[in-house]
Amino acid sequence: MKLLIDDANLDAIRQLYQFYPIDGVTTNPTILSKAGRPPFDVLREIRAFIGPDADLHVQAVASGAQGMVEDAHRITEQLGENTLVKIPCVPEGFQAMKILVKEGVRVTGTAVYTPMQAYLAARCGAEYAAPYINRIDNMGFDGIAVAKEIQDIFTNNGLSTQILAASFKNSQQVLELCRCGVGASTVSPDVIRSFVNSPAIAAAVDAFAADFERLTGVRSMKEC
Ligand code: G3P
């Protein structure tokens, strides 16, 4: 499972890249609105930081198929041809996906709340389909179960589309999807920071260092 950051804050992205094995960044219009700056300025900075080959998913905003196709062209022209364009899984979105995939544009079907949307995105040639785990939970359904069902649909129909799971509230949801081997999860900085955040872990590491210091008087191998 690839691990991506679902955020546009460059400081947070830099910090998380420093510590963790991160495969890329995803944004959506809401995330970009929080940055409060011209979207392509922010996105170009993210692209420059993560490099030309890392996964960057950026959402088309226009509502009709033609508008989405034009948005996709602008996104790939500004951010590189390998940038994945997120297209909402609505009827006009499927129309746009078919056009874009024929052109060779990489597409992620987004705003996935149902397995049927993911199936249709996959049949349109999307590389990823993005179920919104926590939002599905909040609707009274089981987001993890929906993602597992989508995984079965892809496998049982020989579809090469991968899941890009999104909208997480906690690390357990991410771990559960890791167990299933989904293609990717995109996670907010706060939830990524919670991955390794137990007092027991910090206490164990500190106890090892203290024991070593009692033996040697120093806290590093290079000093003893
Ligand atoms: O891009 C979709 C995903 O980021 C939604 O997450 O936390 O707004 O439900 P959230």
Side-chain angles (χ1 to χ4, degrees):
M1 183 185 81
K2 285 185 180 179
L3 177 63
L4 290 89
I5 301 169
D6 199 22
D7 205 82
N9 180 311
L10 198 54
D11 290 339
I13 292 168
R14 277 205 191 96
Q15 188 217 26
L16 293 168
Y17 258 79
Q18 199 181 336
F19 293 124
Y20 300 110
I22 303 289
D23 296 290
V25 172
T26 61
T27 65
N28 63 35
T30 305
I31 286 172
L32 289 173
S33 77
K34 286 179 192 153
R37 294 170 50 215
F40 278 112
D41 288 359
V42 174
L43 290 164
R44 273 190 296 266
E45 286 168 15
I46 294 172
R47 170 56 90 197
F49 175 72
I50 67 178
D53 298 327
D55 288 350
L56 177 62
H57 299 243
V58 178
Q59 193 159 329
V61 183
S63 50
Q66 189 52 38
M68 292 182 201
V69 168
E70 285 165 11
D71 275 8
H73 292 162
R74 172 106 168 113
I75 288 167
T76 53
E77 166 206 303
Q78 290 292 314
L79 302 166
E81 287 199 350
N82 63 335
T83 303
L84 288 125
V85 180
K86 293 168 72 180
I87 302 284
C89 290
V90 296
E92 298 77 10
F94 297 125
Q95 189 182 358
M97 285 181 207
K98 289 193 291 177
I99 296 167
L100 290 167
V101 168
K102 260 197 201 132
E103 292 177 357
V105 175
R106 299 176 72 191
V107 167
T108 295
T110 196
V112 171
Y113 289 78
T114 69
M116 182 56 84
Q117 287 176 285
Y119 164 73
L120 292 171
R123 291 296 316 283
C124 289
E127 195 169 324
Y128 287 98
Y132 287 3
I133 305 305
N134 198 53
R135 293 193 194 192
I136 295 170
D137 283 354
N138 287 341
M139 289 167 64
F141 299 96
D142 182 340
I144 298 288
V146 168
K148 287 179 179 171
E149 194 179 335
I150 291 171
Q151 181 94 321
D152 287 346
I153 288 168
F154 289 170
T155 304
N156 296 338
N157 288 277
L159 295 163
S160 61
T161 307
Q162 301 278 307
I163 288 177
L164 167 69
S167 179
F168 290 101
K169 185 183 65 183
N170 61 57
S171 61
Q172 288 309 299
Q173 293 169 323
V174 181
L175 193 59
E176 184 63 30
L177 290 181
C178 192
R179 257 183 224 118
C180 308
V182 301
S185 283
T186 185
V187 187
S188 69
D190 281 352
V191 173
I192 293 177
R193 289 187 194 107
S194 79
F195 284 177
V196 182
N197 188 27
S198 158
I201 300 169
V205 173
D206 201 49
F208 287 135
D211 287 344
F212 194 79
E213 188 176 16
R214 262 191 296 279
L215 173 70
T216 64
V218 293
R219 280 191 172 226
S220 77
M221 286 290 188
K222 83 170 186 327
E223 293 173 84
C224 71

